[in-house]
Structures are given as structure tokens and as C-alpha cells.
Amino acid sequence: MKKFFKNYTINDVQNVTEIIKEIEIWNKEFEELKEKLEDYFKFEIANYIVSDILECETYNHVCLMINLAVVNNRISLENGTTLKNGLKKLFKINNMFDKFDKVNFVM
């Protein structure tokens, strides 16, 4: 998770305002990405998977999170496989250790 509260002091109002803006931007990007992915795949995607994609985790890490979602019955095995393969294409992933990058997002 992105560290929003680095160098935080209670008296630093400007810093708090900047943190709030960062969080609002991150939330907007999160909602937009989640909506686009769910519209594309036609099924619900767990928030922690979308969050990891947005935070530029590796493909391997996101696949592990998808596996976790399958085990926890948050997504079906079939949809998990579809999501892994689809994300690979949408983000131009070439190997397991490529990181997700918004620049490569094709949709």
C-alpha cells in the first residue's frame, strides 16, 4: 500500500491537505480502473486485486492475489484464469515479473 502518511505531523496543515488530495486522486484512479476492468471482463473483481494493479505490482504478485480470491470464493476459478490471461494482454505483460503500468494499459 502506498505510504500516504510519511513525514506526517499533526501541525502541518499543508501536508495534510496534500495527503488528502493524493488520496482523492488515488481513489478516483482506483474507481476508474475497477469500472473499466469489470466492464471489460463482465464480472466483479476484488478491490485488493485492482489496488495491486494500480500500485504497479508484478504480474506474479497479482496472479497470487487472484489465486487468493479464488480460494476465498471471491472469484470463480474460470474467471480467475480469464482475468490472469486478460490482464496479461491488456497491460502487455511479457513475463511473470513485469510490473503493471498504466502507460501500457490497452483498452
Side-chain angles (χ1 to χ4, degrees), residues 30-89:
F30 175 87
E31 291 300 326
E32 288 174 359
L33 179 60
K34 183 173 174 80
E35 184 179 330
K36 286 179 183 179
L37 291 174
E38 288 180 347
D39 285 347
Y40 180 83
F41 288 107
K42 307 292 188 226
F43 55 82
E44 186 175 342
I45 300 171
N47 288 347
Y48 54 87
I49 295 171
V50 178
S51 177
D52 285 348
I53 293 169
L54 187 59
E55 292 177 6
C56 303
E57 288 288 350
T58 64
Y59 178 72
N60 185 54
H61 176 87
V62 172
C63 285
L64 292 172
M65 292 299 103
I66 293 170
N67 292 345
L68 180 65
V70 170
V71 169
N72 288 324
N73 295 317
R74 301 283 310 272
I75 191 172
S76 72
L77 180 59
E78 180 182 316
N79 287 349
T81 303
T82 300
L83 184 57
K84 288 177 191 177
N85 293 331
L87 290 174
K88 203 171 192 178
K89 291 176 187 173

Side-chain angles (χ1 to χ4, degrees), residues 1-5 16-30:
M1 177 86 188
K2 186 175 181 178
K3 294 184 181 180
F4 289 110
F5 300 107
V16 172
T17 304
E18 290 172 11
I19 291 169
I20 291 170
K21 286 179 185 176
E22 284 183 43
I23 292 171
E24 288 172 347
I25 290 168
W26 190 90
N27 284 339
K28 183 179 178 189
E29 289 176 354
F30 175 87

